[in-house]
Amino acid sequence: MRGSELSLSEARRIALTAQGLDRPRPSRVDARHVRRAVRQLGLLQIDYVNVLCPAHYQVLFSRLGPYERSLLDNLVYRRHEFTEQWAHEASIVPVETWPLLRHRMETRDRRSRGLAAVMEQRADYVNWVLGEIRTRGPLTADDLPEPEGMPRRNAGAWFGTLPRAVLEAHFGQGTLAVAARRPDFVRVYDLTERVIPREHHRRRVGRDEAQRELLQAAARSHGVATAADLADYYRMPIRETRARLAELVETGELREVRVERWREPAYLQQDARLPRRIEGLALLSPFDPVVWYRERAARLFDFDYRIEIYIPPTKRTWGYYVLPFLMGDRLVARVDLKADRARSVLLVQASYIEPQAAVSAVALALGGELRLLARWLGLGGIAVAPKGNLASALSRAAQADVLVAGR
């Protein structure tokens, strides 16, 4: 990669390698594999839409295959090697990333502005909540009463109750951190200094340096990317991103290159690897970094993708919870999946193949990946609905192991 131009195929292979999708899955997953995968990604976007399974667990499954979810939980909530904070969106990040986000916690961004009025109008209650946690230890919103005379729920507000609003505001400002998650996924908050290791909690990083370090992390997780790609990863302002990228090019951390068919210049991370081929398979969560930025997915894979869970059913193109299927270095299909836990069945509600993909090869590979996913989710079978241009081939390819919907 000494030249200044990359083919689109090279860019895809570099990008997928940077995302940990270039290597065979381990035969048995332990904490070391989970730790390495999260650090390579830089962050896991948290989403608890439970149609299939919470998205951050699915992202690791795509790279590691079947693993015990408790491995991730232990690293985050018991060993405190990782923590929750606003990064891309609500995310799990390495604890050493926490001080790099502090400058955002100390300013009012789009998330905290909605809670600022609550914090100002209820200052006595805000301070009381902090005192309760300091004295009693980690608490949830349900552990805290409303101020006298206030209704428990705040109709129309996303945070629902005043205790939750105050806890979320303290979390966003860095005063509190998430110490645990209860079985129903509810956040348990504690003082940040009791969650974030002292060396990281006490570290102070200037805004420019923090941005440079975040962009270096984003570049390692992209391999090759445009300024917009890198800005999106940690939700950084594009103007400031461009200024920091110029500095990183100057120091040799990044190299400006051109990628075939990309209009914008790209930045190649200095240690990015280019394998000769990528041969893995993976179903990608809608919240996977490979596809969460629509413009990048279109540029890299010629794949138009958007999450349709927030779109009215009559206006959806592909389905409610649609996962792209990665085969080698191409996105070759998409499937609308649902875990029907009452019937112990993985439902394939619709399945579609991409243009130029080979139907029989894709159906065979996808059938195997669906079986692996079903077993990991503890489901006893797969039901393929007759919807989409891949459905019949997918049913035939896995005939002995697939329960065809409606039969």
Side-chain angles (χ1 to χ4, degrees), residues 306 308 310-319:
R306 66 188 299 186
E308 296 186 291
Y310 308 112
I311 296 174
T314 56
K315 296 184 178 181
R316 291 179 192 139
T317 302
W318 307 105

Side-chain angles (χ1 to χ4, degrees), residues 125-232:
Y125 182 74
V126 167
N127 293 329
W128 177 83
V129 166
L130 210 57
E132 286 291 289
I133 292 176
R134 183 174 289 110
T135 302
R136 295 168 56 188
L139 298 174
T140 72
D142 290 340
D143 296 322
L144 297 166
E146 295 277 359
E148 187 175 350
M150 279 198 66
R152 183 65 186 170
R153 296 201 61 81
N154 187 348
W158 67 266
F159 46 78
T161 68
L162 184 59
R164 185 185 173 199
V166 171
L167 291 171
E168 290 283 352
H170 275 305
F171 169 72
Q173 293 174 0
T175 314
L176 296 179
V178 177
R181 288 271 186 171
R182 291 189 173 168
D184 60 358
F185 308 135
V186 168
R187 281 173 165 174
V188 183
Y189 298 86
D190 199 358
L191 299 178
T192 301
E193 58 264 32
R194 298 200 294 228
V195 176
I196 303 298
R198 185 176 181 182
E199 62 180 299
H200 302 301
H201 185 254
R202 297 187 67 178
R203 185 187 177 206
R204 306 293 301 195
V205 187
R207 182 184 181 91
D208 288 0
E209 178 58 28
Q211 290 181 335
R212 278 191 292 271
E213 291 194 37
L214 290 172
L215 284 171
Q216 285 175 301
R220 286 192 296 271
S221 299
H222 280 79
V224 62
T226 66
D229 297 337
L230 296 170
D232 177 75

Side-chain angles (χ1 to χ4, degrees), residues 51-52 338-347 370-382:
V51 174
L52 198 60
K338 179 180 180 180
D340 186 339
R341 294 173 178 87
R343 295 170 53 203
S344 191
V345 168
L346 177 62
L347 298 178
L370 289 168
R371 289 194 294 274
L372 191 68
L373 177 62
R375 287 198 295 271
W376 180 59
L377 295 175
L379 302 173
I382 303 169

Side-chain angles (χ1 to χ4, degrees), residues 12 16 300-302 325-333 355-356:
R12 280 197 300 268
L16 291 170
L300 268 177
F301 302 101
D302 193 22
F325 180 50
L326 178 71
M327 185 175 176
D329 67 349
R330 301 303 301 265
L331 295 175
V332 295
Q356 284 77 55

